[in-house]
Amino acid sequence: MAAALQISDLRFRYPGTDHDTVRINTLSLEAGEQVLLTGASGEGKSTLLQLIAGLMEPTSGTIRVKGENVHFMRGAERDLFRGTSIGMIFQTFNLLQGFSAAENVMMALKFSGAPKSGHRSRAVELLSTMGLDTPDREVTQLSVGQQQRVAVARAAATHPVLVLADEPTASLDPEAGEAAMGLIQETCRSIGAALVCTSHDPAMAERFERRESLGSLREAAQGQGV
Amino acid sequence: MSVSDLTIIRRSLSSRMFSTVTTVITVAVAVTLMLTLLSMRDSGRAAFERGTGNMHLLISRDSSPLVSVLNGVFYADPPARPIDAAKLAQLRNDYEAAFSFFVPTQQGDSYRGMPVLATTEEFFSRFSPDPDFNPDDPETEGEPWALAEGEFFDAPFEVVFGATAAAETGVNVGDGIFVVHGTEVSRKAADLAEQFSPHVHKDFEYTVVGILEPSGSSHDRALFTDLTSSWIIHAHDRRQAEDPTVTATTVNDLTAEDVLVTGIYGRVATRAGSSVSAAIPAILAQLRADPSITVAQPKEQIDTLFEIVGSIDQILIAMAAAVMVSSGIAIMLALYNSMEQRRRQVAILRVLGCSRGRVVALVLVESALLGLFGALLGLAGALVGSQIAASALRAQVGLVVEPVFDPGLTATVAGATVILGALAGLAPAVLAYRTSVSRNLRPIG
């Protein structure tokens, strides 16, 4: 069975700079596995997640999700793959304003190609599982905690093999952050998705059995002279 | 149940309602202008052509053929120079045999601003506002005059109202009216006692005997009575001026100077199934050789009139087209400005799996919808606007125009507006296509 995520010889350099922002020789994640990526601000955590999601092009190297080389895909094919196989959670949630909680979740299903008839029931069920019983309320009318739950439900809606969480607790107080991270991890376990979570919060480290430092990954790559 | 693309577009439009409404109104104004101009141009021409009806020639003593047609058929102004009895008799003697009808008319009086046309019974039995009506052909496809109520006049001092004249004055069959000399407002007999006007032919009451069905021609706003009554009331004025003690005038008091007409509607006899005759040019040439009369071919004069106003027409339509283009620019600006605010939304959609192509399609459809809404509102505006323009034409020029929207032309304008809207969305769509996901998903602040 293919790994949920397989990164090989990945390099990414922003145009006009003289160093690699991302430099990883190997990083692999099995199905359902959860890893915390740590690193200081500017070390490339968000950049790595966007490379994995196929939203940016690597300078070199390969990224495979569920055995598929994301960057071999082009255009709409890659977009559909992302919509189907990868869920994303952001620090500021990035919910669609003007739409209800259920519609935000349904939007993920819409672009995944899932049968239309099941969108609404799946969204309401997911939100209910997460303790949100007001699926038709516009997202700007929800509390921060409720918005966080909508964001998690949206990321999990398509049963992705991989969930990418970019500093998901950075805008929450410690207690709420603990609860949010617990929800994300539990949700990923329940749907069997691997989780790559970035954070610079040391308190989060205890929640993950596997932790990787981007700095260490870079040094390892440099040590091998690649 | 799912979130459709139309839902996304609808939320986008409603989230900036003010911009959406003002943009749609801008487009609607342009479409209203364009459709009203096109409708009035076509309807105006049709109204002019209906006004001249099935006559071939109009004989008068106006200063030019065009003035003759405008006065004699469209009631622009009462003709100032009448044809006297001797000339009328000579023309009738020389030409009537070649004519299908030879209908003398006289103008000069009015009722509540509506012109009175004194004529003969042949005006209703032979002349028709329908150009296809051939009175000599039992199988004619054209329609003769039709009565909505009552009957045509067949005796002096009976009057038939055109449809618009009846509607605007509120008269009914059986009412009595007094007409005025010239164009001053007249009044019903019942009102006369309260406010007397010296211009009213107060000694002669007309009885309304019929009201016509609408014909869509200038005649709808006219009243029709027989020539003898008209000659009598003007003879009475003449006689009272000569002798103030005169209290009554009858047909026996008429002299040659009272028997005047201002125009003659003529149609040369044609074969069944045809509305033209090879004899027309020859008759026309003979008539034109007589310097004491003016002979007009109404259809030619209408063509001349439209050639004169044609360039103005084209300029107006070009201006309307320019307004439509500027409304397209308004759509582009509205969407372009909104795209600046919607980059994050586009980035989120992209993260969720929405392709660049679909983002472009969403923007283009949104843009085309603005054009469609504008076109629909503009069509409604044109329906109202053309009625207002038609009312103004009827009130100020006396031309009865029934605005008609050619389905093909209307669909073309609506389609062009939608396409223009979609084209206006191209620049915003490119902006959406090029939206950087990574840059626009960063935490704000």
Side-chain angles (χ1 to χ4, degrees), chain A residues 32-97:
Chain A
E33 193 177 0
Q34 299 187 348
V35 63
L36 180 71
L37 282 179
T38 60
S41 291
E43 271 202 308
K45 298 190 296 294
S46 297
T47 303
L48 174 59
L49 296 191
Q50 296 206 19
L51 285 166
I52 295 170
L55 293 167
M56 298 173 78
E57 296 295 327
T59 308
S60 63
T62 59
I63 300 170
R64 292 179 187 277
V65 174
K66 207 170 59 176
E68 300 282 344
N69 189 329
V70 177
H71 297 278
F72 273 9
M73 300 175 192
R74 286 288 172 265
E77 184 191 2
R78 188 194 298 182
D79 294 323
L80 179 61
F81 182 77
R82 181 172 55 251
T84 310
S85 306
I86 302 173
M88 292 190 82
I89 302 168
F90 302 90
Q91 177 186 337
T92 51
F93 316 139
N94 282 327
L95 298 177
L96 288 165
Q97 295 187 7

Side-chain angles (χ1 to χ4, degrees), chain B residues 416-433:
Chain B
T417 309
V418 175
I419 291 169
L420 185 70
L423 289 175
L426 280 176
V430 169
L431 202 63
Y433 184 89

Side-chain angles (χ1 to χ4, degrees), chain B residues 31-53:
Chain B
V31 173
T32 295
L33 198 59
M34 178 63 89
L35 286 178
T36 302
L37 278 172
L38 290 173
S39 165
M40 295 309 291
R41 182 188 62 173
D42 295 344
S43 306
R45 185 167 192 126
F48 271 105
E49 286 172 353
R50 273 197 302 274
T52 60

Side-chain angles (χ1 to χ4, degrees), chain B residues 323-338:
Chain B
V323 174
M324 281 191 74
V325 170
S326 67
S327 75
I329 294 170
I331 293 178
M332 188 192 72
L333 286 176
L335 283 178
Y336 199 90
N337 290 336
S338 79

Side-chain angles (χ1 to χ4, degrees), chain A residues 50 79 82 94 103 110, chain B residues 5 11 344 350 355 438:
Chain A
Q50 296 206 19
D79 294 323
R82 181 172 55 251
N94 282 327
E103 285 171 335
K110 170 184 176 65
Chain B
D5 284 1
R11 298 288 168 81
R344 178 173 284 262
R350 296 273 292 112
S355 66
S438 55

Side-chain angles (χ1 to χ4, degrees), chain A residues 14-207:
Chain A
Y14 279 105
T17 61
D18 60 357
H19 66 282
D20 293 331
T21 301
V22 176
R23 191 180 177 96
I24 299 172
N25 272 3
T26 61
L27 178 66
S28 180
L29 209 64
E30 297 304 317
E33 193 177 0
Q34 299 187 348
V35 63
L36 180 71
L37 282 179
T38 60
S41 291
E43 271 202 308
K45 298 190 296 294
S46 297
T47 303
L48 174 59
L49 296 191
Q50 296 206 19
L51 285 166
I52 295 170
L55 293 167
M56 298 173 78
E57 296 295 327
T59 308
S60 63
T62 59
I63 300 170
R64 292 179 187 277
V65 174
K66 207 170 59 176
E68 300 282 344
N69 189 329
V70 177
H71 297 278
F72 273 9
M73 300 175 192
R74 286 288 172 265
E77 184 191 2
R78 188 194 298 182
D79 294 323
L80 179 61
F81 182 77
R82 181 172 55 251
T84 310
S85 306
I86 302 173
M88 292 190 82
I89 302 168
F90 302 90
Q91 177 186 337
T92 51
F93 316 139
N94 282 327
L95 298 177
L96 288 165
Q97 295 187 7
F99 292 85
S100 69
E103 285 171 335
N104 264 273
V105 179
M106 290 159 72
M107 204 71 82
L109 292 162
K110 170 184 176 65
F111 296 115
S112 73
K116 290 179 182 177
S117 57
H119 289 189
R120 165 93 185 162
S121 56
R122 167 79 176 146
V124 172
E125 179 194 342
L126 258 176
L127 290 167
S128 177
T129 305
M130 293 178 188
L132 194 69
D133 295 322
T134 51
D136 295 321
R137 186 169 290 178
E138 209 266 322
V139 288
T140 53
Q141 296 175 351
L142 300 175
S143 68
V144 172
Q146 288 173 319
Q147 289 184 32
Q148 174 72 277
R149 277 178 262 174
V150 175
V152 175
R154 186 177 67 182
T158 59
H159 290 289
V161 294
L162 179 65
V163 171
L164 306 172
D166 190 6
E167 302 278 5
T169 60
S171 56
L172 304 175
D173 59 55
E175 196 175 332
E178 273 288 320
M181 188 56 82
L183 178 68
I184 292 168
Q185 289 184 295
E186 185 51 40
T187 302
C188 287
R189 281 189 203 103
S190 69
I191 61 173
L195 170 65
V196 178
C197 182
T198 67
S199 177
H200 59 262
D201 180 1
M204 291 298 138
E206 297 169 9
R207 301 192 61 91

